[in-house]
Amino acid sequence: MLAFVTLSGRSVRLEPLSLAVVDDLVAAASEDRSTYAFTRVPNGRDEMVSYVEAALAEQAEGRTMPFAIRWLHTDRVVGATRLMHLEYWQGPMPWPPGARGAVGDVPSVADIGYTWLSASAQGTGINRESKYLMLSLAFETWQVHRITLKADIRNARSRAAIEALGAHLDGVRRAESRGADDTVRDTAYYSILSDEWPIVRERMHARMGLTEAA
């Protein structure tokens, strides 16, 4: 199990997801659910408890690192996100292929996903800064080889946000999963590689009004 970490930025703080923030998450998810056309977000307290418990179970297996997103401007929890699909390439290969053997200390690749924000927090820059904090942890502390991001191909807003980071479109997987609207969805896959991170970081710094340290 990876150690719990808190990631702090200028306007957001990513805190370890826990059952203690369930009511805050329920309030955030209830503001305007029409904004979740392409994103599956828990609806009501029972669904939110199940959502958090499932995330914590995956974290205990070393497969995910989930966060609650706190907007420092209001000191409110306004959504959630996570580093997920953590893969560990150190040590012997598990047998048979695909078996879940012991995991390593540090992930080799990861996805960023399950990101959602309250309606009032959307379009505020919170999503960009949250991504920046997780990318920095993954590339600079874990030294992962790749970060994957994906979105429903119809979700123009989410895809534009991913592309604005400088992520590379790897392709579209057709009929990839069940969509949030209960249709069969095609999914656009994007990636950022470790040797691309310095350019992506500089681009994100410019968009967030930061400057590289001397």
Side-chain angles (χ1 to χ4, degrees), residues 120-139:
S120 61
Q122 294 171 24
T124 61
I126 289 175
N127 179 54
R128 184 185 305 118
E129 187 170 358
S130 297
K131 294 285 194 300
Y132 173 76
L133 292 171
M134 289 186 287
L135 287 166
S136 296
L137 172 68
F139 284 120

PDB file of all heavy atoms in Angstrom, residues 120-139:
ATOM      1  N   SER A 120     -19.857  24.529  -9.436  1.00  0.00           N
ATOM      2  CA  SER A 120     -19.282  25.845  -9.124  1.00  0.00           C
ATOM      3  C   SER A 120     -17.766  25.858  -9.246  1.00  0.00           C
ATOM      4  O   SER A 120     -17.168  26.929  -9.362  1.00  0.00           O
ATOM      5  CB  SER A 120     -19.678  26.266  -7.706  1.00  0.00           C
ATOM      6  OG  SER A 120     -19.177  25.345  -6.743  1.00  0.00           O
ATOM      7  N   ALA A 121     -17.130  24.688  -9.241  1.00  0.00           N
ATOM      8  CA  ALA A 121     -15.665  24.613  -9.334  1.00  0.00           C
ATOM      9  C   ALA A 121     -15.178  24.378 -10.755  1.00  0.00           C
ATOM     10  O   ALA A 121     -13.976  24.485 -11.026  1.00  0.00           O
ATOM     11  CB  ALA A 121     -15.144  23.499  -8.423  1.00  0.00           C
ATOM     12  N   GLN A 122     -16.086  24.082 -11.663  1.00  0.00           N
ATOM     13  CA  GLN A 122     -15.699  23.821 -13.046  1.00  0.00           C
ATOM     14  C   GLN A 122     -15.314  25.132 -13.740  1.00  0.00           C
ATOM     15  O   GLN A 122     -15.930  26.168 -13.509  1.00  0.00           O
ATOM     16  CB  GLN A 122     -16.840  23.134 -13.790  1.00  0.00           C
ATOM     17  CG  GLN A 122     -17.148  21.739 -13.254  1.00  0.00           C
ATOM     18  CD  GLN A 122     -18.414  21.144 -13.833  1.00  0.00           C
ATOM     19  OE1 GLN A 122     -18.865  21.518 -14.920  1.00  0.00           O
ATOM     20  NE2 GLN A 122     -19.008  20.203 -13.119  1.00  0.00           N
ATOM     21  N   GLY A 123     -14.277  25.066 -14.575  1.00  0.00           N
ATOM     22  CA  GLY A 123     -13.847  26.238 -15.316  1.00  0.00           C
ATOM     23  C   GLY A 123     -13.084  27.255 -14.479  1.00  0.00           C
ATOM     24  O   GLY A 123     -12.896  28.398 -14.911  1.00  0.00           O
ATOM     25  N   THR A 124     -12.605  26.845 -13.298  1.00  0.00           N
ATOM     26  CA  THR A 124     -11.912  27.760 -12.397  1.00  0.00           C
ATOM     27  C   THR A 124     -10.395  27.573 -12.406  1.00  0.00           C
ATOM     28  O   THR A 124      -9.677  28.324 -11.734  1.00  0.00           O
ATOM     29  CB  THR A 124     -12.400  27.569 -10.952  1.00  0.00           C
ATOM     30  OG1 THR A 124     -12.097  26.222 -10.549  1.00  0.00           O
ATOM     31  CG2 THR A 124     -13.900  27.814 -10.835  1.00  0.00           C
ATOM     32  N   GLY A 125      -9.903  26.551 -13.110  1.00  0.00           N
ATOM     33  CA  GLY A 125      -8.482  26.231 -13.078  1.00  0.00           C
ATOM     34  C   GLY A 125      -8.136  25.152 -12.073  1.00  0.00           C
ATOM     35  O   GLY A 125      -6.983  24.705 -12.001  1.00  0.00           O
ATOM     36  N   ILE A 126      -9.134  24.725 -11.288  1.00  0.00           N
ATOM     37  CA  ILE A 126      -8.897  23.689 -10.276  1.00  0.00           C
ATOM     38  C   ILE A 126      -8.473  22.381 -10.924  1.00  0.00           C
ATOM     39  O   ILE A 126      -7.558  21.688 -10.448  1.00  0.00           O
ATOM     40  CB  ILE A 126     -10.158  23.490  -9.421  1.00  0.00           C
ATOM     41  CG1 ILE A 126     -10.367  24.688  -8.504  1.00  0.00           C
ATOM     42  CG2 ILE A 126     -10.074  22.203  -8.604  1.00  0.00           C
ATOM     43  CD1 ILE A 126     -11.646  24.638  -7.708  1.00  0.00           C
ATOM     44  N   ASN A 127      -9.126  22.017 -12.016  1.00  0.00           N
ATOM     45  CA  ASN A 127      -8.789  20.766 -12.696  1.00  0.00           C
ATOM     46  C   ASN A 127      -7.342  20.786 -13.183  1.00  0.00           C
ATOM     47  O   ASN A 127      -6.596  19.819 -12.992  1.00  0.00           O
ATOM     48  CB  ASN A 127      -9.744  20.534 -13.875  1.00  0.00           C
ATOM     49  CG  ASN A 127      -9.412  19.263 -14.631  1.00  0.00           C
ATOM     50  OD1 ASN A 127      -9.322  18.196 -14.059  1.00  0.00           O
ATOM     51  ND2 ASN A 127      -9.223  19.394 -15.934  1.00  0.00           N
ATOM     52  N   ARG A 128      -6.923  21.887 -13.787  1.00  0.00           N
ATOM     53  CA  ARG A 128      -5.557  21.983 -14.308  1.00  0.00           C
ATOM     54  C   ARG A 128      -4.528  21.860 -13.182  1.00  0.00           C
ATOM     55  O   ARG A 128      -3.547  21.129 -13.298  1.00  0.00           O
ATOM     56  CB  ARG A 128      -5.365  23.300 -15.051  1.00  0.00           C
ATOM     57  CG  ARG A 128      -3.993  23.442 -15.705  1.00  0.00           C
ATOM     58  CD  ARG A 128      -3.800  24.817 -16.319  1.00  0.00           C
ATOM     59  NE  ARG A 128      -4.863  25.125 -17.270  1.00  0.00           N
ATOM     60  CZ  ARG A 128      -5.710  26.141 -17.136  1.00  0.00           C
ATOM     61  NH1 ARG A 128      -5.611  26.962 -16.113  1.00  0.00           N
ATOM     62  NH2 ARG A 128      -6.645  26.364 -18.033  1.00  0.00           N
ATOM     63  N   GLU A 129      -4.762  22.583 -12.080  1.00  0.00           N
ATOM     64  CA  GLU A 129      -3.795  22.528 -10.987  1.00  0.00           C
ATOM     65  C   GLU A 129      -3.779  21.149 -10.332  1.00  0.00           C
ATOM     66  O   GLU A 129      -2.718  20.655  -9.932  1.00  0.00           O
ATOM     67  CB  GLU A 129      -4.097  23.602  -9.944  1.00  0.00           C
ATOM     68  CG  GLU A 129      -3.012  23.688  -8.881  1.00  0.00           C
ATOM     69  CD  GLU A 129      -3.154  24.891  -7.957  1.00  0.00           C
ATOM     70  OE1 GLU A 129      -4.092  25.703  -8.151  1.00  0.00           O
ATOM     71  OE2 GLU A 129      -2.311  25.014  -7.057  1.00  0.00           O
ATOM     72  N   SER A 130      -4.930  20.508 -10.236  1.00  0.00           N
ATOM     73  CA  SER A 130      -4.973  19.151  -9.678  1.00  0.00           C
ATOM     74  C   SER A 130      -4.171  18.188 -10.545  1.00  0.00           C
ATOM     75  O   SER A 130      -3.402  17.355 -10.025  1.00  0.00           O
ATOM     76  CB  SER A 130      -6.427  18.676  -9.571  1.00  0.00           C
ATOM     77  OG  SER A 130      -7.174  19.486  -8.684  1.00  0.00           O
ATOM     78  N   LYS A 131      -4.335  18.296 -11.857  1.00  0.00           N
ATOM     79  CA  LYS A 131      -3.560  17.446 -12.770  1.00  0.00           C
ATOM     80  C   LYS A 131      -2.063  17.721 -12.607  1.00  0.00           C
ATOM     81  O   LYS A 131      -1.251  16.789 -12.596  1.00  0.00           O
ATOM     82  CB  LYS A 131      -3.981  17.714 -14.224  1.00  0.00           C
ATOM     83  CG  LYS A 131      -5.409  17.305 -14.580  1.00  0.00           C
ATOM     84  CD  LYS A 131      -5.547  15.826 -14.722  1.00  0.00           C
ATOM     85  CE  LYS A 131      -6.867  15.425 -15.401  1.00  0.00           C
ATOM     86  NZ  LYS A 131      -8.072  15.857 -14.686  1.00  0.00           N
ATOM     87  N   TYR A 132      -1.706  18.993 -12.472  1.00  0.00           N
ATOM     88  CA  TYR A 132      -0.306  19.359 -12.327  1.00  0.00           C
ATOM     89  C   TYR A 132       0.304  18.720 -11.069  1.00  0.00           C
ATOM     90  O   TYR A 132       1.418  18.186 -11.110  1.00  0.00           O
ATOM     91  CB  TYR A 132      -0.163  20.876 -12.269  1.00  0.00           C
ATOM     92  CG  TYR A 132       1.228  21.337 -11.946  1.00  0.00           C
ATOM     93  CD1 TYR A 132       2.242  21.307 -12.906  1.00  0.00           C
ATOM     94  CD2 TYR A 132       1.560  21.783 -10.659  1.00  0.00           C
ATOM     95  CE1 TYR A 132       3.536  21.709 -12.602  1.00  0.00           C
ATOM     96  CE2 TYR A 132       2.847  22.187 -10.354  1.00  0.00           C
ATOM     97  CZ  TYR A 132       3.825  22.138 -11.322  1.00  0.00           C
ATOM     98  OH  TYR A 132       5.107  22.525 -11.015  1.00  0.00           O
ATOM     99  N   LEU A 133      -0.418  18.758  -9.974  1.00  0.00           N
ATOM    100  CA  LEU A 133       0.090  18.192  -8.730  1.00  0.00           C
ATOM    101  C   LEU A 133       0.297  16.683  -8.857  1.00  0.00           C
ATOM    102  O   LEU A 133       1.312  16.139  -8.389  1.00  0.00           O
ATOM    103  CB  LEU A 133      -0.872  18.503  -7.583  1.00  0.00           C
ATOM    104  CG  LEU A 133      -0.981  19.975  -7.174  1.00  0.00           C
ATOM    105  CD1 LEU A 133      -2.120  20.164  -6.179  1.00  0.00           C
ATOM    106  CD2 LEU A 133       0.331  20.477  -6.592  1.00  0.00           C
ATOM    107  N   MET A 134      -0.637  15.997  -9.504  1.00  0.00           N
ATOM    108  CA  MET A 134      -0.499  14.542  -9.657  1.00  0.00           C
ATOM    109  C   MET A 134       0.587  14.180 -10.660  1.00  0.00           C
ATOM    110  O   MET A 134       1.350  13.228 -10.453  1.00  0.00           O
ATOM    111  CB  MET A 134      -1.848  13.937 -10.061  1.00  0.00           C
ATOM    112  CG  MET A 134      -2.873  13.952  -8.946  1.00  0.00           C
ATOM    113  SD  MET A 134      -4.416  13.082  -9.376  1.00  0.00           S
ATOM    114  CE  MET A 134      -5.138  14.264 -10.524  1.00  0.00           C
ATOM    115  N   LEU A 135       0.683  14.937 -11.739  1.00  0.00           N
ATOM    116  CA  LEU A 135       1.746  14.690 -12.711  1.00  0.00           C
ATOM    117  C   LEU A 135       3.113  14.911 -12.085  1.00  0.00           C
ATOM    118  O   LEU A 135       4.060  14.142 -12.333  1.00  0.00           O
ATOM    119  CB  LEU A 135       1.570  15.604 -13.926  1.00  0.00           C
ATOM    120  CG  LEU A 135       0.413  15.259 -14.877  1.00  0.00           C
ATOM    121  CD1 LEU A 135       0.153  16.418 -15.832  1.00  0.00           C
ATOM    122  CD2 LEU A 135       0.707  13.981 -15.660  1.00  0.00           C
ATOM    123  N   SER A 136       3.236  15.939 -11.258  1.00  0.00           N
ATOM    124  CA  SER A 136       4.514  16.212 -10.601  1.00  0.00           C
ATOM    125  C   SER A 136       4.898  15.069  -9.674  1.00  0.00           C
ATOM    126  O   SER A 136       6.066  14.640  -9.641  1.00  0.00           O
ATOM    127  CB  SER A 136       4.434  17.527  -9.811  1.00  0.00           C
ATOM    128  OG  SER A 136       4.214  18.626 -10.667  1.00  0.00           O
ATOM    129  N   LEU A 137       3.946  14.575  -8.898  1.00  0.00           N
ATOM    130  CA  LEU A 137       4.217  13.435  -8.021  1.00  0.00           C
ATOM    131  C   LEU A 137       4.654  12.223  -8.838  1.00  0.00           C
ATOM    132  O   LEU A 137       5.651  11.559  -8.515  1.00  0.00           O
ATOM    133  CB  LEU A 137       2.968  13.086  -7.212  1.00  0.00           C
ATOM    134  CG  LEU A 137       3.040  11.786  -6.395  1.00  0.00           C
ATOM    135  CD1 LEU A 137       4.050  11.917  -5.262  1.00  0.00           C
ATOM    136  CD2 LEU A 137       1.657  11.415  -5.855  1.00  0.00           C
ATOM    137  N   ALA A 138       3.914  11.935  -9.903  1.00  0.00           N
ATOM    138  CA  ALA A 138       4.185  10.734 -10.690  1.00  0.00           C
ATOM    139  C   ALA A 138       5.543  10.797 -11.384  1.00  0.00           C
ATOM    140  O   ALA A 138       6.325   9.832 -11.331  1.00  0.00           O
ATOM    141  CB  ALA A 138       3.071  10.522 -11.716  1.00  0.00           C
ATOM    142  N   PHE A 139       5.840  11.908 -12.047  1.00  0.00           N
ATOM    143  CA  PHE A 139       7.066  11.995 -12.836  1.00  0.00           C
ATOM    144  C   PHE A 139       8.299  12.343 -11.998  1.00  0.00           C
ATOM    145  O   PHE A 139       9.396  11.868 -12.277  1.00  0.00           O
ATOM    146  CB  PHE A 139       6.908  13.015 -13.970  1.00  0.00           C
ATOM    147  CG  PHE A 139       6.088  12.522 -15.118  1.00  0.00           C
ATOM    148  CD1 PHE A 139       4.923  13.164 -15.496  1.00  0.00           C
ATOM    149  CD2 PHE A 139       6.477  11.398 -15.839  1.00  0.00           C
ATOM    150  CE1 PHE A 139       4.168  12.713 -16.570  1.00  0.00           C
ATOM    151  CE2 PHE A 139       5.718  10.933 -16.904  1.00  0.00           C
ATOM    152  CZ  PHE A 139       4.561  11.584 -17.270  1.00  0.00           C
TER     153      PHE A 139
END
